[in-house]
């Protein structure tokens, strides 16, 4: 894929189709003892002139050394390797990071935590884990998907086992739909062959051509193997703004009726969300067999963010920059955001998406003011 897809072969620009997928190894092949033994022996001067006992001793030492160097624990400390079969996701660490940095999304946190923990601890899942995250921009969909990827593969988006697809970049041309479908299948097949624990993130699903995503249906279904490859331990994540209006309406209805947003449960949103996305021509999942066959395990709603949540985002960003939290700046940045509905101004229409840019301006003003005083 392109650079966004973590360093694999892929299109050089959005004007070119996705390159044909190829099988990708889990890094350079681990060298065997024989592969390392020959160069080591060549480094021993006058080896041919030594007594047989000395030669045998030298070969024994070289074999022991190469055995140590080729041991998986040593090798994988320098080269990224696919996780072993006993790999388990650290749910406690994931929860702590979500609590610290994902705000106003009690539903998304709980659903994803339960889903990935259960999947990670299941030694024989029946199908890959498939999550579809929905909500307006700036509510945390990208953040959660990338954080989850880092807990499976510590290098995150830089990992060769994590693959990010952007609809407008990797699949730009409607007339090349069949080519994209073939290449997408080949790419996924090759990468899962190299690492069963591969993670695939599909962003901008609402901009994806209709029918494209159905190409991966065989990989998400309840098959033990497809053409000799098992996909059951892979994770697929779809990100979409589609359904955001439905989620916002439900949240506003709860607010209007005097209920707390934390009272909203998955059962209040998931059925209407799945139906709404299935019937939305701009969802990328319009009349998709993935929904029709119930292959998406969870439709995860991301609620619109309130003023207090935007302030949490500002504080977190200031801390991430190593700055002391200035509540005046926090309040100023939050107040500059635009909110809906117009009368009540409850929810930020951009979530926390522009917090960084607005904070840049306020911090620049603060620095200039400080310098002027000095």
């Amino acid at each position: 894929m392109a650079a966004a897809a973590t360093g694999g072969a892929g299109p050089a620009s959005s004007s070119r189709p996705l390159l044909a997928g190829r099988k990708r190894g889990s890094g350079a092949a681990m060298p065997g003892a024989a592969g390392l033994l020959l160069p080591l022996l060549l480094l021993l001067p006058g080896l041919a002139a030594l007594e047989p006992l000395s030669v045998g001793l030298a070969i024994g030492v070289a074999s022991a050394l190469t055995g140590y160097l080729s041991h998986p624990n040593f090798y994988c400390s320098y080269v990224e390797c696919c996780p072993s079969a006993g790999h388990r996701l650290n749910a406690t660490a994931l929860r702590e990071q979500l609590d610290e940095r994902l705000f106003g999304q009690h539903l998304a946190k709980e659903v994803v935590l339960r889903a990935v923990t259960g999947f990670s601890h299941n030694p024989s899942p029946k199908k890959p884990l498939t999550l579809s995250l929905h909500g307006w921009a700036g509510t945390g969909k990208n953040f959660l998907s990338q954080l989850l990827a880092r807990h499976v593969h510590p290098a995150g988006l830089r990992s060769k086992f994590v693959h990010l697809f952007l609809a407008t970049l990797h699949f730009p041309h409607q007339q090349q739909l069949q080519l994209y479908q073939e290449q997408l299948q080949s790419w996924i097949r090759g990468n899962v062959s190299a690492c069963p624990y591969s993670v695939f993130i599909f962003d901008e699903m609402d901009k994806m051509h209709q029918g494209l995503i159905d190409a991966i249906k065989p990989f998400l279904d309840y098959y033990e193997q497809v053409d000799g490859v098992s996909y059951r331990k892979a994770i697929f994540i779809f990100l979409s703004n589609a359904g955001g209006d439905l989620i916002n309406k439900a949240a506003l209805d709860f607010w209007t009726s005097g209920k707390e947003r934390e009272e909203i449960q998955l059962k209040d949103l998931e059925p209407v969300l799945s139906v709404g996305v299935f019937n939305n021509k701009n969802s990328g999942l319009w009349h998709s067999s993935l929904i029709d066959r119930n292959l998406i395990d969870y439709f995860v709603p991301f609620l619109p963010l309130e003023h207090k949540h935007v302030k949490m985002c500002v504080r977190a960003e200031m801390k991430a920059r190593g700055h002391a939290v200035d509540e005046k700046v926090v309040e100023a940045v939050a107040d500059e955001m635009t909110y809906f509905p117009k009368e009540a101004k409850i929810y930020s229409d951009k979530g926390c998406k522009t917090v960084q840019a607005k904070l840049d301006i306020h911090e620049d003003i603060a620095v200039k003011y400080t310098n002027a005083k000095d």
Side-chain angles (χ1 to χ4, degrees):
M1 293 304 298
T6 66
S13 70
S14 60
S15 61
R16 294 176 56 194
L18 175 69
L19 292 185
R22 58 184 176 85
K23 183 174 180 178
R24 304 177 63 193
S26 55
M30 200 177 301
L36 286 173
L37 182 57
L38 179 59
L40 283 172
L41 291 177
L42 292 176
L43 291 176
L44 295 176
L47 181 61
L50 295 177
E51 295 295 330
L53 182 60
S54 300
V55 174
L57 179 61
I59 293 176
V61 171
S63 297
L65 178 59
T66 54
Y68 173 75
L69 292 177
S70 62
H71 191 278
N73 289 342
F74 178 86
Y75 181 78
C76 295
S77 63
Y78 292 94
V79 176
E80 184 185 20
C81 296
C82 182
S84 63
H87 173 75
R88 296 290 183 270
L89 184 138
N90 188 334
T92 301
L94 178 59
R95 177 181 288 278
E96 289 176 354
Q97 290 193 324
L98 288 173
D99 288 341
E100 290 175 3
R101 300 184 60 189
L102 183 65
F103 309 113
Q105 303 299 350
H106 70 283
L107 272 180
K109 282 196 288 190
E110 290 304 318
V111 171
V112 171
L113 273 169
R114 289 201 307 268
V116 299
T117 301
F119 180 75
S120 174
H121 287 77
N122 185 350
S124 183
K126 299 300 182 185
K127 66 180 293 296
L129 177 62
T130 308
L131 306 172
S132 192
L133 315 186
H134 297 266
W136 275 16
T139 52
K141 301 186 301 296
N142 268 292
F143 170 76
L144 190 149
S145 64
Q146 292 178 30
L147 182 61
L148 176 56
R150 284 202 300 275
H151 276 265
V152 179
H153 302 286
L157 290 183
R158 297 189 303 276
S159 169
K160 57 180 168 246
F161 307 124
V162 176
H163 314 280
L164 173 63
F165 298 87
L166 303 174
T168 54
L169 176 64
H170 298 122
F171 316 110
H173 306 298
Q174 171 70 42
Q175 64 272 24
Q176 295 183 354
L177 179 61
Q178 183 175 352
L179 176 63
Y180 293 151
Q181 290 177 325
E182 294 171 356
Q183 293 173 338
L184 186 57
Q185 288 181 337
S186 180
W187 179 264
I188 292 176
R189 184 183 302 111
N191 282 285
V192 174
S193 296
C195 180
Y197 297 93
S198 293
V199 176
F200 301 93
I201 302 172
F202 293 82
D203 200 358
E204 304 178 326
M205 281 294 296
D206 45 301
K207 298 179 178 65
M208 186 168 285
H209 302 303
Q210 296 171 13
L212 173 57
I213 201 63
D214 280 358
I216 71 172
K217 173 193 169 293
F219 308 142
L220 306 187
D221 216 327
Y222 292 83
Y223 298 126
E224 185 173 349
Q225 289 187 346
V226 178
D227 292 334
V229 179
S230 174
Y231 298 86
R232 293 182 169 192
K233 295 181 180 179
I235 297 177
F236 292 81
I237 306 174
F238 305 132
L239 311 181
S240 178
N241 293 344
D245 291 341
L246 297 172
I247 297 169
N248 294 347
K249 181 181 182 303
L252 186 59
D253 288 345
F254 264 73
W255 182 86
T256 303
S257 63
K259 298 179 181 178
E260 298 290 333
R261 69 187 282 127
E262 286 73 19
E263 295 181 53
I264 302 176
Q265 300 179 39
L266 186 63
K267 65 181 182 180
D268 297 319
L269 290 173
E270 192 173 37
V272 66
L273 187 56
S274 62
V275 172
V277 171
F278 183 78
N279 291 315
N280 185 344
K281 290 187 176 182
N282 297 317
S283 73
L285 290 167
W286 182 68
H287 287 190
S288 171
S289 60
L290 304 189
I291 297 179
D292 196 41
R293 288 273 299 161
N294 297 312
L295 299 180
I296 296 178
D297 299 303
Y298 296 95
F299 289 87
V300 185
F302 280 69
L303 303 175
L305 299 182
E306 300 174 11
H307 188 274
K308 63 182 180 182
H309 302 127
V310 175
K311 292 200 293 185
M312 292 177 183
C313 291
V314 179
R315 294 188 189 102
E317 179 62 22
M318 295 180 81
K319 291 177 182 177
R321 297 183 183 191
H323 301 165
V325 175
D326 185 332
E327 288 298 331
K328 290 183 179 179
V329 173
V330 171
E331 196 70 35
V333 171
D335 287 346
E336 285 185 9
M337 307 292 280
T338 52
Y339 297 84
F340 71 95
K342 289 184 178 180
E343 305 78 22
K345 295 184 177 180
I346 307 167
Y347 304 115
S348 169
D349 58 8
K350 295 184 181 67
C352 286
K353 199 172 186 66
T354 59
V355 161
Q356 291 187 357
K358 291 185 179 298
L359 187 57
D360 288 340
I361 296 174
H362 281 275
E363 289 187 335
D364 186 52
I365 293 173
V367 169
K368 290 180 179 178
Y369 176 73
T370 302
N371 291 339
K373 286 180 64 178
D374 294 342

Short mmCIF file of all heavy atoms in Angstrom, two decimals, residues 18 40 270:
data_model
loop_
_atom_site.label_atom_id
_atom_site.label_comp_id
_atom_site.label_asym_id
_atom_site.label_seq_id
_atom_site.Cartn_x
_atom_site.Cartn_y
_atom_site.Cartn_z
N LEU A 18 -4.78 0.68 -6.90
CA LEU A 18 -4.08 -0.14 -5.92
C LEU A 18 -3.27 -1.20 -6.64
O LEU A 18 -3.77 -1.90 -7.50
CB LEU A 18 -5.10 -0.81 -5.00
CG LEU A 18 -4.60 -1.81 -3.98
CD1 LEU A 18 -3.81 -1.08 -2.91
CD2 LEU A 18 -5.78 -2.54 -3.38
N LEU A 40 30.87 -17.48 9.39
CA LEU A 40 31.67 -17.51 10.62
C LEU A 40 32.91 -18.37 10.44
O LEU A 40 34.00 -18.03 10.91
CB LEU A 40 30.82 -18.05 11.78
CG LEU A 40 29.81 -17.07 12.37
CD1 LEU A 40 28.90 -17.77 13.35
CD2 LEU A 40 30.51 -15.91 13.04
N GLU A 270 -27.74 0.34 17.73
CA GLU A 270 -27.19 -0.59 16.74
C GLU A 270 -28.21 -1.04 15.70
O GLU A 270 -27.89 -1.05 14.50
CB GLU A 270 -26.56 -1.80 17.44
CG GLU A 270 -25.74 -2.65 16.48
CD GLU A 270 -24.99 -3.75 17.20
OE1 GLU A 270 -25.53 -4.33 18.16
OE2 GLU A 270 -23.85 -4.05 16.78
#
